[in-house]
Amino acid sequence: MVNDGNQNTVRDSQGKETAGRGGTREAILRRRPLLKAAGAGTGLALSAGCLDSFAGGGGGGREELDGPLKIGVLAPEPANNPIGASIANGARLAAQQLTENGGVDGNDVEVVVKDTKEDPGTGKQKYQEFILDDEVHATTGIFTSEVLLNILDDIADQQKVHLTTGAATPEASARVNEDYDEYKYHFRTGPINAYHLGTNLVDFGEEMFDEMGWEQIAVLVEDYEWTRPVSRALDDQLGDTGVEVVMRERYASGTENFTPIYDEVESSGADAVLTAMAHTGTPAIVQWARQQRGFEFGGIHVPMQLPSYSAATEGACQFGITQNSATPTSEVTEKTVPFANAYQSEFGSYPVYTGYITFDAVKQYAQAVSTAGYVSSDEVVTALEDSSYRGTAGTIEYYASDHEYAHDVKYGQDTVWPLFQQWQDGSQEVIYPESLATADYASPPWI
Amino acid sequence: MSADATATRGLTGWLDPRRYGIRHQVGAVGLVLLAFAPYLVPTVWVRNLTIALFFAMFAMSWDVVSGYTGQISFGHAFFFAIGGYSSALLNLELGLPPVVTVPIAVVVTVVAGLLVGVPALRLRGPYFSLVTLVAPTILLNVFILFSGTFGGELGLDSPAPILSFDDLVVTLVANYYLAFALFVGILAVLLAVTRSDAGAVFTAIREDEDAVAASGLNPAKFKVFAFALSAAVGGLAGAVFVHTPVGNPNPSQLLALTVSIEVIIAAILGGMGTIVGAAVAGIFLRLFQLYLGTVEYVVPVLDTAVADVDLLLFSLVTLVLLFALPGGIVRWAVHGGGTALDNIRGRDAATDGGRDPPDRDVLDAVQERWREDVADLQARVGGGRR
């Protein structure tokens, strides 16, 4: 059992990749009993690939595409959550462009969007609707790690390719690695998995902390599933950067008042806080700016990736730094800016990171179907494994089945290498990597 | 006995034999329709009906304690969560099969229910409700605090399924029948209990607790019994729920405040203190909610799709219904149907002294008692300056 709920330690007591709950990996693998009988799921090691269901045409021999290519998109609150809207619209734009350019071997590409409400139960329901009602060939999207984990078994059962474009938990890739035949249909097109997100923070730090004058840092991480591997990566590697970690805190999920936490940071003498925040990011940055706290602020901060965030927070995010997949003006690849502009003219706003990734996922999937010559999952999986796709967020390649992070997008300078942006004068300026930098790091004036 | 008389009155003439026939015919038709539902609706709706049946069980479990005794519980989700989480954790951590974990979960729920309920039931009206309001909040905070064990705000992984087949459609249909069997079982048990002498005492407690005590019966004992029965039913439904493809051990499905509130709305909308009302309204409310979530129609003025504002619309419709039918759908239908029959048969309904108008409803009785309790309280703390 892992319980690092409210302690300042971020050590996963098992020190391994598990989601930290729901028991052992064996228990997870036992979850799909062979027999219908109640309780057959005890003590049985599963023989993989025991399914021969032809329902929906998954896994049942080779099948050529005959009619439109249908992709189901699972997005959180696509009507009012920028992350969900970017997933939905990124997929729509990709399908539209593909169809306009002759489709997949002459067949149109269609996407159907459904709302997960960031809720595991709803996510499962919508996934099953895709299978039963919409008869999709593959699915993409999913922002919340818990939602993804809850439908992994459905993905395995249905044998439909799924390309994750938001959830970062390495648990999904661990399952692909451990039970390949069962879970091989899952790919993570982006972002890089949560452990690599942490690794990337350290890589950024090695290059930049010195220049930025960050010698003593406080690590502030929100206590959610996705941040556990981030914390682990920071614990493993932050020592290599030469900075001194004077405080570590995994603060409670749903935290809204950061005053006591910031008091503690200030008394620790930290130059800056290194963050991993998504759900709780806005009160954290607003209170930091309003209270003009005596330390600098940066790391992973998902809300700050939103191009309209400066206006939304009335400028409170000035001088905040966050990791990001791309910004509307950064040429991560030659495809990044054209996509951001096309998205803007189509939907009236710029995408956030999930938009770039989902756009890439739909296009890469279509290319894989085309390359394979078949739409049946097994053939497409092979094509995706061999694929090297130049997308808007980098070059998308996947780790092999024997890799610890099987089917996760490869992290590296030549594949996917996130950038770091700082909000300056209401715009997202890239400060790292050097090749994309548009500005130097600037300290907040009150420090 | 006076308790008997009040029971009859409170139940809109449940014991009036003249309307026994039609009402039960309608009920039987409804059950038969449910029994054949998988052959009548698309598969996605089989899934939705399964969810609705579980929700109806939740609503019935609330009705047996709050609808009958008038002790309004604002935190019934506490039971569903204890049942669901206990069964899921036993399965995930110890690898026990659902056949073993579900009964254990029911026992755990009853014990937890008694731990909260016994002290709380010594309190009346608002006090009791406040305690029940706090209980699930505390539980949720425990889940968040020990998120390593309980999975925090987003819950646990799915435990082993009770029924699982290679084909998704077969799995969903099988689980529908599992839910249906459980639903019928719970309905039968609760009807039997509430239509017995114990049910009459429950109702009497709602009408006038002091009178029950004066007649030599111990109201506390009956309230605890109702509470334990309610906990057992809620825990059982919650435990089975997490082992089906439609349910997960997570707060949004089992523990959120909205769960507790929706259960209350369903029971009141159906008609407090009828069990059948809670079942019928529970099914329809949940189906309506799920249907709204699939409507792609874009509302012209607001420029948003119905599916995106489904919860808002759901709440509005529910509110209107609550105002329109304070006595509950079932009472309204029975009474309206009875009156209509009387008219058809040329009888003057007014001569029928054995029936209350439906507006003399349970809500009024409960409100009245709350007012008395609050007045008492004000008098006691000397704050009553009116």
Side-chain angles (χ1 to χ4, degrees), chain A residues 5 16 54 88 133 224-225 271 275 402:
Chain A
K16 61 176 193 182
F54 283 80
D133 265 12
Y224 285 83
E225 189 58 46
D271 300 316
T275 62
D402 56 357

Side-chain angles (χ1 to χ4, degrees), chain A residues 288 297 304 317-321 422-424 441-446:
Chain A
W288 170 77
F297 190 107
M304 254 199 270
C317 62
Q318 296 307 312
F319 307 105
I321 299 173
Q422 183 177 30
W423 277 99
Q424 294 179 6
Y441 173 74
S443 276
W446 63 81

Side-chain angles (χ1 to χ4, degrees), chain A residues 1-3 5-6 20-21 23 27 31 36 38-39 42 51 79 119 124-125 128 132-133 146 150 158 224 228, chain B residues 44 47-48 92-93 95 97 99 144-148 153-155 157-158 162 164-166 168 172 245 248 252 308:
Chain A
M1 293 313 308
V2 180
N3 171 21
N6 224 24
R21 52 166 218 238
R31 228 160 273 162
K36 293 94 178 128
T42 54
L51 296 171
D119 173 71
K124 196 184 188 85
Q125 181 187 336
Q128 294 189 350
L132 295 168
D133 265 12
E146 285 81 354
N150 197 36
Q158 297 306 324
Y224 285 83
R228 289 176 198 277
Chain B
V44 169
R47 195 179 195 287
N48 291 346
L92 293 173
E93 301 296 336
V99 162
I144 289 171
L145 201 60
F146 300 104
S147 58
E153 284 181 314
L154 288 151
D157 293 331
S158 299
I162 292 177
S164 178
F165 301 88
D166 287 353
L168 181 61
L172 289 175
N248 287 99
S252 69
D308 297 325

Side-chain angles (χ1 to χ4, degrees), chain A residues 211-223:
Chain A
E211 188 180 319
M212 290 156 56
W214 290 18
E215 288 164 6
Q216 296 183 312
I217 57 172
V219 178
L220 281 194
V221 177
E222 63 179 16
D223 190 15

Side-chain angles (χ1 to χ4, degrees), chain A residues 375-407:
Chain A
V375 75
S376 37
S377 298
D378 286 1
E379 283 69 28
V380 176
V381 166
T382 309
L384 281 170
E385 285 172 341
D386 299 339
S387 167
S388 174
Y389 176 78
R390 186 80 170 148
T392 59
T395 301
I396 315 291
E397 293 174 14
Y398 297 103
Y399 290 115
S401 58
D402 56 357
H403 192 281
E404 162 184 28
Y405 300 126
H407 286 189

